[in-house]
Amino acid sequence: MKRLGVNIDHVATIRNARGEFHPDPIFAAQFVKKSGADSVTIHLREDRRHIKDIDAKKICSLKGLLVNLEVSTNPSMIKNALQIRPNFICIVPEKRKEITTEGGLDLKKNIFKLKKIITKIRKKKIRTSLFINPSISNIKISKSLKADCIEIHTGNFANLVKTKKDYSKEFKKIKDCSILAHNLGIEVHVGHGLDFKATKILMKIKQIQEFNIGHFIIGESIFYGITKVIRNFKKIIRS
Ligand code: PXP
């Protein structure tokens, strides 16, 4: 079954703007599930700009909720993630000054570090996901690293769709990577910058198992309500 993962980081961003308790990301996690989300994604950033440790702990302890926790390769973040025990740990690159995750991991440069991290995660029986740019060599390295899943960074593709530019090359890259990963037994996730249109186009790639979407869902919810937005995505994301 294909899954819609809803990234609720921005609920915490809004809460933090007031430094108080509302809106509550834990309530948001429960609410998006009730509205039809198949999983929830949260990014515990090193600077804790949105989701905090206590949010991640509480969200991961909710019964029957599939949680994808994004963290950087920083040893203290990996240690935290292993203690928090989500269903998936998605390793992402992180720069302090970036507004959002700007690209995929540099697998070649970090191969030894990632190998150690993945071994630790596997020992805890948590599924590992690597956030990567769509390239065939990244898929091959992910396989050699024994990653359970990859999440393909769809930012470039989504921007081309939004600006009505030719996205065919970028689409082909994502498709070729998805097919290879799937054939190698790696679960394929996609995420970043996705809206209704970009998601609809990516649905042509049968090998994609999970769509992780945040900014557009939260933004669109201001006008139409989160339940309606999630339902509309679920009409697009069908098995
Ligand atoms: N997947 C990953 C790994 C991300 O870092 C993000 C952004 O936090 C998303 C998905 C969601 O991207 P967006 O908010 O642009 O939908």
Side-chain angles (χ1 to χ4, degrees):
M1 199 193 83
K2 292 192 188 300
R3 295 190 299 266
L4 167 65
V6 177
N7 182 316
I8 55 166
D9 291 344
H10 290 320
V11 175
T13 305
I14 296 170
R15 175 199 58 187
N16 298 351
R18 277 287 169 102
E20 292 175 4
F21 306 103
H22 186 267
D24 179 14
I26 293 94
F27 181 74
Q30 292 167 309
F31 196 86
V32 298
K33 183 176 182 244
K34 223 167 63 185
S35 301
D38 302 297
S39 64
V40 162
T41 290
I42 46 176
H43 185 172
L44 187 63
R45 293 189 76 103
E46 289 170 23
D47 62 9
R48 307 300 197 273
R49 70 172 73 152
H50 36 58
I51 292 289
K52 314 276 184 203
D53 298 63
I54 187 71
D55 301 323
K57 275 184 200 149
K58 285 186 179 170
I59 289 168
C60 288
S61 69
L62 293 172
K63 291 228 159 60
L65 181 73
L66 206 58
V67 183
N68 178 35
L69 176 67
E70 297 173 14
V71 283
S72 73
T73 56
N74 181 320
S76 72
M77 297 310 299
I78 299 296
K79 197 170 159 208
N80 268 344
L82 293 175
Q83 278 167 1
I84 294 169
R85 296 194 69 86
N87 304 88
F88 295 87
I89 293 179
C90 181
I91 313 290
V92 298
E94 211 176 291
K95 293 185 206 136
R96 282 285 162 114
K97 287 195 176 145
E98 68 190 357
I99 292 172
T100 180
T101 319
E102 282 168 354
L105 291 159
D106 185 338
L107 296 187
K108 272 191 203 138
K109 196 171 149 196
N110 292 294
I111 197 150
F112 294 111
K113 200 199 270 184
L114 287 167
K115 200 166 210 143
K116 277 191 195 159
I117 292 173
I118 292 176
T119 307
K120 278 187 194 166
I121 297 175
R122 287 177 74 90
K123 265 192 198 151
K124 294 271 183 185
K125 299 198 165 29
I126 297 169
R127 285 171 75 72
T128 318
S129 177
L130 297 175
F131 194 43
I132 56 169
N133 292 323
S135 83
I136 294 296
S137 77
N138 276 343
I139 304 298
K140 290 181 182 162
I141 300 172
S142 300
K143 177 67 185 172
S144 76
L145 285 169
K146 296 198 174 82
D148 299 298
C149 319
I150 46 141
E151 181 168 330
I152 299 175
H153 193 300
T154 52
N156 287 344
F157 167 76
N159 272 339
L160 291 168
V161 173
K162 268 175 230 165
T163 53
K164 297 191 169 51
K165 293 194 179 128
D166 180 10
Y167 57 76
S168 54
K169 267 196 205 147
E170 203 58 33
F171 176 82
K172 188 174 178 317
K173 272 201 248 171
I174 298 172
K175 185 175 179 180
D176 291 348
C177 288
S178 301
I179 292 171
L180 178 62
H182 179 78
N183 289 343
L184 292 172
I186 305 173
E187 191 175 301
V188 181
H189 304 172
V190 288
H192 216 279
L194 296 176
D195 58 9
F196 291 133
K197 191 168 176 204
T199 305
K200 223 177 259 178
I201 299 167
L202 288 179
M203 272 300 290
K204 291 181 193 147
I205 304 174
K206 299 282 167 271
Q207 290 76 11
I208 297 174
Q209 183 82 33
E210 183 173 285
F211 294 77
N212 286 318
I213 308 173
H215 189 87
F216 182 79
I217 290 182
I218 303 299
E220 197 75 347
S221 298
I222 296 169
F223 308 111
Y224 306 105
I226 201 156
T227 302
K228 191 156 185 214
V229 179
I230 289 173
R231 284 194 188 143
N232 285 340
F233 265 114
K234 288 291 288 179
K235 282 184 198 153
I236 299 169
I237 302 168
R238 290 173 188 273
S239 292

